[in-house]
Amino acid sequence: IAKYEYSIDCLYHLSIFLLGSVASQSMNRFSCVSLSAQKLNIRNLVSYKKQDGPVEAIIFMTTRGVKICVKPNQKWVQTAIKKINERTTKGK
């Protein structure tokens, strides 16, 4: 039951992703259409990508492979990006 409740909670707080039509776009292309307002645990974030449109956003990838869209101008988002960059440059 706890796993089910966790999934429902995550779905509630996660951003909605819009998949392009199968005929015109690859299924791997995600676009943020809404943004999560919840602060995420930086330790669970492994990578990020900047999106300029249709909504300006940062797309974080979690350790579980979940993509979450957030507002790029939040202080914690900038801190998370810095930490991810530090982790990835140390590994090279």
Side-chain angles (χ1 to χ4, degrees):
I1 293 177
K3 188 174 184 180
Y4 178 73
E5 289 172 357
Y6 176 77
S7 297
I8 296 297
D9 186 52
C10 283
L11 289 175
Y12 176 76
H13 291 289
L14 295 180
S15 299
I16 301 169
F17 295 98
L18 176 66
L19 285 174
S21 78
V22 177
S24 65
Q25 293 183 359
S26 164
M27 290 296 285
N28 292 332
R29 298 208 47 177
F30 290 98
S31 180
C32 302
V33 293
S34 68
L35 305 176
S36 174
Q38 180 179 0
K39 183 177 177 180
L40 305 173
N41 186 336
I42 295 173
R43 291 179 296 192
N44 294 334
L45 305 176
V46 294
S47 65
Y48 70 93
K49 183 173 86 171
K50 183 177 180 183
Q51 174 182 289
D52 293 319
V55 175
E56 188 175 334
I58 297 295
I59 306 170
F60 283 119
M61 175 77 77
T62 70
T63 53
R64 294 181 178 236
V66 176
K67 294 180 180 179
I68 304 171
C69 299
V70 297
K71 294 178 184 179
N73 58 349
Q74 298 176 83
K75 186 174 180 175
W76 75 265
V77 172
Q78 298 304 315
T79 301
I81 288 171
K82 184 178 176 181
K83 293 284 187 189
I84 291 169
N85 287 341
E86 288 172 0
R87 278 188 243 149
T88 55
T89 55
K90 284 182 183 178
K92 291 183 178 181

